[in-house]
Amino acid sequence: MKIKDGFIIKSVAGSNVIVAVSNPAFSSVITVNETGSFLFEKLKEDTDVNKLTECLLQEYEVDRQTAFDDTCKFINLLRQAELLDE
Amino acid sequence: MNTYSIAGLLVNMSPFGKTEKQAEKYLTDFTDNPDIIIEVSEKMVQKYMQLVDINSEDEAYYLASGFAFYRKLLNFGGFMLHSSAICIDEKVYLFSGQSGIGKSTHTGLLKQLLGDRCFVVNDDKPAIRIMENNEVYAFGTPWSGKYDISRNEGYPVLGLCFLGRAESNSITPLDSKNAAIHIMNQCTKNFTESQWDKILGYIDLFVKKVPVYKLLCNKDPAAARLSFKTLTGEEI
């Protein structure tokens, strides 16, 4: 899976937001936390839940279960917003 | 092409119908070196008719020309915020929120209470510009909503409220993070990456300079008294 082309992450007033580039059909603003922002960057390349969990474990001091849960939660958010190519 | 003075900028365009009528008071005799040239092709008008599902070329031109103006405004420190902008004692207060939430109703209540002290600068899509010394201004534009309430004037912005409906009235400050997201939700969002960088930079500055509130309210005059008191510190 990876992030569909045409979506970028930007920061405004201390928040990270996912917005669409030149896409009149997509007018939502999705705010993400630091972990989400980190995962978004990783999702620019084709990857999967297990690889993303490993990335989180390397970057942050969390246990495997939390990293896995956070990854799944974020993936579900992106999936609901139809931002994923799978 | 006609030349207009809009939001302190010289704008060339050839509007017709509704847009031409609403732009009349912005006509200017200065014609040299326009800051902005708005060209809306027949193809673009057709595209807008499809996009927003309308069957009037007049309305499609109004939307397309407005969008072109606000997009180019990004090059002059400005953006559009979907709101009703009321000027009270030469200061502007903005009331924003989704369509139908009661923006014009609320500024209408303020007008009833304040009479000659106030007028609406733009009832729908004021141009917000970051001016010298990072001062935030709101300007009237011809793209001012279905009742065409606008003035070709600009004033410093001293407050912004996001409206929500409730049975009783309450107002609470929004922190800058929340304020920025609320603002983004009431702006157009069809931007290239470099346009995003610009508008987000302006929004960043805006929330540093202007107090932003969430106003939950009904349609009683008490709602306007509450927002007025919070925004100006003055009782009416």
Side-chain angles (χ1 to χ4, degrees):
Chain A
M1 63 177 78
K2 69 192 281 280
I3 289 284
K4 280 184 189 168
D5 288 341
F7 291 94
I8 49 171
I9 200 155
K10 290 280 166 192
S11 112
V12 60
S15 288
N16 299 309
V17 290
I18 300 174
V19 293
V21 174
S22 305
N23 181 352
F26 188 91
S27 62
S28 312
V29 174
I30 300 168
T31 51
V32 294
N33 60 16
E34 194 195 323
T35 316
S37 190
F38 174 81
L39 291 172
F40 185 93
E41 291 303 324
K42 299 289 169 199
L43 276 155
K44 284 179 176 171
E45 306 285 325
D46 197 24
T47 184
D48 59 42
V49 173
N50 287 335
K51 282 185 202 156
L52 288 169
T53 305
E54 289 304 324
C55 290
L56 274 189
L57 284 169
Q58 276 169 29
E59 187 74 14
Y60 299 98
E61 284 186 22
V62 287
D63 59 82
R64 182 167 292 275
Q65 190 60 44
T66 309
F68 179 77
D69 290 347
D70 283 356
T71 304
C72 291
K73 233 197 253 172
F74 187 65
I75 293 297
N76 277 332
L77 176 101
L78 295 180
R79 196 172 275 148
Q80 274 168 17
E82 298 180 9
L83 300 193
L84 281 186
D85 266 337
E86 300 186 76
Chain B
M1 275 224 179
N2 295 329
T3 305
Y4 299 87
S5 167
I6 305 171
L9 301 165
L10 286 181
V11 180
N12 275 10
M13 60 174 173
S14 311
F16 61 89
K18 170 183 173 176
T19 316
E20 184 179 15
K21 193 172 149 277
Q22 298 198 181
E24 223 165 51
K25 64 184 113 170
Y26 295 81
L27 274 167
T28 175
D29 294 331
F30 296 101
T31 52
D32 294 343
N33 300 320
D35 299 298
I36 289 176
I37 298 171
I38 296 176
E39 283 166 315
V40 181
S41 62
E42 179 61 25
K43 206 177 129 198
M44 213 137 95
V45 169
Q46 297 301 327
K47 204 182 98 186
Y48 262 80
M49 288 172 76
Q50 277 182 2
L51 196 67
V52 286
D53 196 20
I54 43 174
N55 50 24
S56 138
E57 282 194 14
D58 195 3
E59 190 65 26
Y61 180 88
Y62 173 79
L63 292 173
S65 58
F67 186 68
F69 171 75
Y70 292 114
R71 183 178 262 207
K72 292 192 174 179
L73 185 64
L74 290 170
N75 297 327
F76 300 91
F79 63 100
M80 182 278 285
L81 178 65
H82 182 213
S83 57
S84 181
I86 190 165
C87 181
I88 306 171
D89 302 336
E90 314 226 308
K91 314 278 193 299
V92 160
Y93 303 92
L94 301 162
F95 293 87
S96 183
Q98 67 199 67
S99 296
I101 200 76
K103 299 183 285 290
S104 307
T105 305
H106 193 82
T107 47
L109 288 174
L110 281 163
K111 265 164 77 179
Q112 277 176 25
L113 288 174
L114 294 162
D116 289 346
R117 277 179 71 186
C118 71
F119 56 87
V120 171
V121 178
N122 185 315
D123 201 32
D124 192 47
K125 294 185 173 78
I128 310 300
R129 281 186 78 192
I130 313 288
M131 307 293 276
E132 257 176 70
N133 301 320
N134 286 342
E135 252 204 290
V136 180
Y137 271 67
F139 290 86
T141 72
W143 298 277
S144 51
K146 59 183 165 183
Y147 302 114
D148 184 24
I149 304 170
S150 87
R151 284 205 195 183
N152 190 3
E153 296 169 21
Y155 299 93
V157 176
L158 263 72
L160 163 62
C161 290
F162 284 96
L163 265 60
R165 280 201 198 135
E167 283 192 15
S168 59
N169 300 309
S170 65
I171 189 164
T172 43
L174 287 175
D175 63 29
S176 54
K177 269 190 183 191
N178 264 312
I181 303 303
H182 275 76
I183 292 173
M184 284 182 80
N185 279 326
Q186 294 305 326
C187 294
T188 41
K189 288 181 271 292
N190 181 8
F191 294 131
T192 64
E193 181 158 11
S194 67
Q195 287 168 337
W196 272 118
D197 287 336
K198 283 184 181 143
I199 191 170
L200 294 178
Y202 306 148
I203 291 174
D204 223 280
L205 268 169
F206 186 105
V207 299
K208 282 190 184 124
K209 300 287 280 194
V210 180
V212 183
Y213 300 90
K214 183 88 192 183
L215 171 64
L216 297 177
C217 63
N218 54 35
K219 291 178 177 177
D220 297 334
R225 281 199 193 93
L226 175 66
S227 69
F228 182 74
K229 191 185 170 203
T230 310
L231 292 165
T232 65
E234 198 187 317
E235 301 260 6
I236 32 167

